[in-house]
Amino acid sequence: MRIEVRIAGFGGQGVILAGVVLGRAAAVYEGLEAVQTQSYGPEARGGASRSDVIVSDEEKIMFPYVREPDHLVVMSQEAYDKYIGDVKSDGLVVYDSTLVEPSRGDVEHVGVPATEKAEEELGLRIVANMIMLGAYRELTDIVSFDSLRNAVMDSVPPGTEETNEKALRLGAELAEGGAD
Amino acid sequence: MRDENGKVEFLQGNEACAEGAIAAGCRFFAGYPITPSTEIAERMSARLPEVGGVYVQMEDEIASLAAVIGASWAGVKAMTATSGPGFSLMQEHMGYAVMTETPCVVVNIQRGGPSTGQPTKASQGDVMQARWGSHGDYEVVALSPYDVQEMFDLTVECFNWAETLRVPAVLLADEVVGHMRERVVLREDVETVDRELPPEGEEVERPFPLEPDDLVPPMPVFGRGHRVHVTGLTHDERGYPCTDDPEVHRKLVRRLCNKVRKRAGEIHESVGYDFIERDSDIALVAYGGCARTVLEAAEEAGVTVFRPKVIHPFDEGLVRRLLDGYEVLVVEMNLGQYYEMVKMALDPDCVHLLGYPGGYPPTPERVVEEVERLGG
């Protein structure tokens, strides 16, 4: 198993953190090989910020960069338009259906109304990233729920643990609806 | 989460470097944050106060290394971290640290240059600057990590060799390993080395002996009752300026170089290197973040590969022993700096270069293509 994942959106949505949490869940709590890289500087400003994770249960990951993501988790239209072309055909695209209108045909799309539900059910738009992460995990089983939750607990500010865990679980529920 | 050696973390290389410094006993950091090294300063500013250390944000990189040198003479293990333009500014004090035999660690997370170049992109363009960026004859230790664990481990090694040899040691990393996140064990069992000190309170008559030429003298740090004069001018054995005696200058400079050069083999053996031998006429050579591409390419192409961790001092004997008889391809993120050293050690006609500046390492496919062009 070797999976390349790109998590992308606009600055401030927490896509970098989402990638770090996923990598941490895999590397620290599952004992898998994982490498995370991200966009920096002018590339990371404005419309399309990205956090890339490679997860493998084989040997050490050498070349560290994602070239052809198996999976794209995407939270803005600009990021979708910028990165959708890189995704492997038959790859999986999990998108925030509040903000993204999908267009590519030869990949599997799963829409998750993350931003809408974050506001409606949790009263906090900024946990949309955790809803996306919970949904993505549910769809792929790339790491266990417990590993992901542990990694989230390590990474979020004290006092926000409960809301973040709720967001992960909400994401998992929303994903159960399945593909479009 | 923990394993038998320490806490298991998922960190950036820069964060692991800061943790390695703390584990090595570093208790002073002075710096001027610069991309792509900033996370080191950031983490040191949080961690040093927790362990009774001192963090100072300075007005620039010249002052940063000056403060580090002062801290070291006050008896504390000290470090700074920077990138290309900052490393250029530090060259004045690299020379001063060499001449005054001040143990310290300078981390350079290389980015594209010359000048301000590519702030957020990787490079290995400072290999020669790390060796001789300051004026005069000298040698330093420079180590190049290829993953996040080595950002921790080789930072410890830099401190140990700086303390052993009383030289500035350079962690010559790059943006690839500085910014990527991986699993790292924050080892609690690290072996640390402390500089040799003369007995407390005793007069040190010859703090800077001229002979024998490979000697590392004990360091009479301030605050322990020693009276010592420290200067960047050529000095006699008592430490006083002596700029017009050719023999004194020759002996001093020879010792400053030889205390490092004569131990090149020992440093390489102790820090280690990767040498994966395969049934092939071609051998690849790479270090740092770029080596991750090259190790993968070497496996795909079925060729031998050498990954040094020690960049300076260069060990010609080792390179000859491992690589003589091969068609050698050096892959680095510059236009051929380590390559020049390899060429001097081997038959130059057998040494080839894939020089790859631009901000990212080449892909494994690109390297395999080059191997095929060489007949591999």
mmCIF file of all heavy atoms in Angstrom, chain B residues 222-239:
data_model
loop_
_atom_site.group_PDB
_atom_site.id
_atom_site.type_symbol
_atom_site.label_atom_id
_atom_site.label_comp_id
_atom_site.label_asym_id
_atom_site.label_seq_id
_atom_site.Cartn_x
_atom_site.Cartn_y
_atom_site.Cartn_z
ATOM 1 N N PHE B 222 35.752 31.845 30.103
ATOM 2 C CA PHE B 222 35.669 32.915 31.097
ATOM 3 C C PHE B 222 34.795 32.503 32.279
ATOM 4 O O PHE B 222 33.893 31.698 32.129
ATOM 5 C CB PHE B 222 35.117 34.186 30.450
ATOM 6 C CG PHE B 222 36.021 34.705 29.368
ATOM 7 C CD1 PHE B 222 35.571 34.819 28.062
ATOM 8 C CD2 PHE B 222 37.326 35.060 29.663
ATOM 9 C CE1 PHE B 222 36.411 35.281 27.063
ATOM 10 C CE2 PHE B 222 38.171 35.531 28.665
ATOM 11 C CZ PHE B 222 37.710 35.639 27.365
ATOM 12 N N GLY B 223 35.132 33.057 33.425
ATOM 13 C CA GLY B 223 34.311 32.807 34.605
ATOM 14 C C GLY B 223 34.807 31.665 35.459
ATOM 15 O O GLY B 223 34.167 31.295 36.431
ATOM 16 N N ARG B 224 35.945 31.074 35.084
ATOM 17 C CA ARG B 224 36.493 29.968 35.869
ATOM 18 C C ARG B 224 37.887 30.320 36.422
ATOM 19 O O ARG B 224 38.685 29.439 36.717
ATOM 20 C CB ARG B 224 36.572 28.697 35.025
ATOM 21 C CG ARG B 224 35.196 28.084 34.715
ATOM 22 C CD ARG B 224 35.311 26.941 33.721
ATOM 23 N NE ARG B 224 36.357 25.995 34.079
ATOM 24 C CZ ARG B 224 36.169 24.899 34.814
ATOM 25 N NH1 ARG B 224 34.978 24.607 35.261
ATOM 26 N NH2 ARG B 224 37.177 24.091 35.086
ATOM 27 N N GLY B 225 38.173 31.623 36.496
ATOM 28 C CA GLY B 225 39.415 32.042 37.115
ATOM 29 C C GLY B 225 40.603 32.142 36.173
ATOM 30 O O GLY B 225 41.726 32.404 36.618
ATOM 31 N N HIS B 226 40.363 31.923 34.881
ATOM 32 C CA HIS B 226 41.486 32.043 33.945
ATOM 33 C C HIS B 226 41.562 33.463 33.400
ATOM 34 O O HIS B 226 40.539 34.105 33.209
ATOM 35 C CB HIS B 226 41.311 31.077 32.766
ATOM 36 C CG HIS B 226 41.038 29.682 33.185
ATOM 37 N ND1 HIS B 226 41.923 28.937 33.907
ATOM 38 C CD2 HIS B 226 39.962 28.890 32.983
ATOM 39 C CE1 HIS B 226 41.413 27.746 34.136
ATOM 40 N NE2 HIS B 226 40.217 27.684 33.598
ATOM 41 N N ARG B 227 42.776 33.907 33.146
ATOM 42 C CA ARG B 227 42.946 35.157 32.413
ATOM 43 C C ARG B 227 43.408 34.789 31.017
ATOM 44 O O ARG B 227 44.438 34.139 30.852
ATOM 45 C CB ARG B 227 43.979 36.046 33.091
ATOM 46 C CG ARG B 227 43.458 36.681 34.372
ATOM 47 C CD ARG B 227 44.512 37.519 35.010
ATOM 48 N NE ARG B 227 45.667 36.709 35.371
ATOM 49 C CZ ARG B 227 46.840 37.206 35.731
ATOM 50 N NH1 ARG B 227 47.032 38.507 35.732
ATOM 51 N NH2 ARG B 227 47.830 36.413 36.062
ATOM 52 N N VAL B 228 42.641 35.158 30.013
ATOM 53 C CA VAL B 228 43.028 34.775 28.660
ATOM 54 C C VAL B 228 42.665 35.880 27.682
ATOM 55 O O VAL B 228 41.658 36.564 27.849
ATOM 56 C CB VAL B 228 42.395 33.416 28.260
ATOM 57 C CG1 VAL B 228 40.879 33.489 28.265
ATOM 58 C CG2 VAL B 228 42.886 32.939 26.901
ATOM 59 N N HIS B 229 43.520 36.072 26.717
ATOM 60 C CA HIS B 229 43.294 37.073 25.676
ATOM 61 C C HIS B 229 42.840 36.355 24.407
ATOM 62 O O HIS B 229 43.519 35.428 23.960
ATOM 63 C CB HIS B 229 44.590 37.856 25.422
ATOM 64 C CG HIS B 229 44.382 39.065 24.572
ATOM 65 N ND1 HIS B 229 44.624 39.063 23.221
ATOM 66 C CD2 HIS B 229 43.936 40.302 24.893
ATOM 67 C CE1 HIS B 229 44.345 40.266 22.738
ATOM 68 N NE2 HIS B 229 43.935 41.031 23.732
ATOM 69 N N VAL B 230 41.701 36.775 23.875
ATOM 70 C CA VAL B 230 41.127 36.103 22.702
ATOM 71 C C VAL B 230 41.079 37.106 21.555
ATOM 72 O O VAL B 230 40.458 38.167 21.696
ATOM 73 C CB VAL B 230 39.700 35.581 23.010
ATOM 74 C CG1 VAL B 230 39.106 34.896 21.799
ATOM 75 C CG2 VAL B 230 39.720 34.634 24.206
ATOM 76 N N THR B 231 41.712 36.771 20.453
ATOM 77 C CA THR B 231 41.757 37.728 19.336
ATOM 78 C C THR B 231 41.690 37.009 17.993
ATOM 79 O O THR B 231 42.119 35.866 17.865
ATOM 80 C CB THR B 231 43.054 38.573 19.388
ATOM 81 O OG1 THR B 231 43.089 39.428 18.228
ATOM 82 C CG2 THR B 231 44.307 37.708 19.384
ATOM 83 N N GLY B 232 41.143 37.723 17.014
ATOM 84 C CA GLY B 232 41.123 37.220 15.647
ATOM 85 C C GLY B 232 42.441 37.473 14.922
ATOM 86 O O GLY B 232 42.673 36.941 13.829
ATOM 87 N N LEU B 233 43.298 38.298 15.510
ATOM 88 C CA LEU B 233 44.624 38.495 14.918
ATOM 89 C C LEU B 233 45.464 37.235 15.118
ATOM 90 O O LEU B 233 45.248 36.491 16.080
ATOM 91 C CB LEU B 233 45.337 39.663 15.599
ATOM 92 C CG LEU B 233 44.791 41.069 15.285
ATOM 93 C CD1 LEU B 233 45.378 42.083 16.268
ATOM 94 C CD2 LEU B 233 45.114 41.466 13.850
ATOM 95 N N THR B 234 46.412 37.023 14.243
ATOM 96 C CA THR B 234 47.375 35.939 14.480
ATOM 97 C C THR B 234 48.003 36.175 15.850
ATOM 98 O O THR B 234 48.405 37.293 16.169
ATOM 99 C CB THR B 234 48.464 35.952 13.392
ATOM 100 O OG1 THR B 234 47.839 35.675 12.140
ATOM 101 C CG2 THR B 234 49.526 34.900 13.674
ATOM 102 N N HIS B 235 47.996 35.106 16.678
ATOM 103 C CA HIS B 235 48.429 35.285 18.060
ATOM 104 C C HIS B 235 49.502 34.268 18.442
ATOM 105 O O HIS B 235 49.589 33.190 17.858
ATOM 106 C CB HIS B 235 47.227 35.163 19.009
ATOM 107 C CG HIS B 235 46.238 34.108 18.627
ATOM 108 N ND1 HIS B 235 45.231 34.342 17.704
ATOM 109 C CD2 HIS B 235 46.101 32.819 18.994
ATOM 110 C CE1 HIS B 235 44.521 33.247 17.546
ATOM 111 N NE2 HIS B 235 45.029 32.294 18.302
ATOM 112 N N ASP B 236 50.258 34.638 19.437
ATOM 113 C CA ASP B 236 51.274 33.720 19.955
ATOM 114 C C ASP B 236 50.628 32.725 20.918
ATOM 115 O O ASP B 236 49.408 32.740 21.109
ATOM 116 C CB ASP B 236 52.431 34.501 20.586
ATOM 117 C CG ASP B 236 51.997 35.314 21.815
ATOM 118 O OD1 ASP B 236 50.921 35.012 22.396
ATOM 119 O OD2 ASP B 236 52.723 36.266 22.177
ATOM 120 N N GLU B 237 51.455 31.927 21.540
ATOM 121 C CA GLU B 237 50.916 30.861 22.385
ATOM 122 C C GLU B 237 50.178 31.388 23.608
ATOM 123 O O GLU B 237 49.337 30.700 24.174
ATOM 124 C CB GLU B 237 52.047 29.907 22.798
ATOM 125 C CG GLU B 237 52.645 29.192 21.595
ATOM 126 C CD GLU B 237 53.550 28.051 21.991
ATOM 127 O OE1 GLU B 237 54.392 28.265 22.890
ATOM 128 O OE2 GLU B 237 53.410 26.971 21.409
ATOM 129 N N ARG B 238 50.478 32.622 24.008
ATOM 130 C CA ARG B 238 49.767 33.212 25.148
ATOM 131 C C ARG B 238 48.442 33.835 24.713
ATOM 132 O O ARG B 238 47.651 34.266 25.554
ATOM 133 C CB ARG B 238 50.637 34.290 25.806
ATOM 134 C CG ARG B 238 51.921 33.747 26.437
ATOM 135 C CD ARG B 238 52.821 34.902 26.851
ATOM 136 N NE ARG B 238 53.016 35.824 25.719
ATOM 137 C CZ ARG B 238 53.126 37.155 25.841
ATOM 138 N NH1 ARG B 238 53.069 37.728 27.033
ATOM 139 N NH2 ARG B 238 53.309 37.909 24.780
ATOM 140 N N GLY B 239 48.224 33.961 23.389
ATOM 141 C CA GLY B 239 46.980 34.544 22.893
ATOM 142 C C GLY B 239 47.117 36.002 22.510
ATOM 143 O O GLY B 239 46.139 36.638 22.132
#
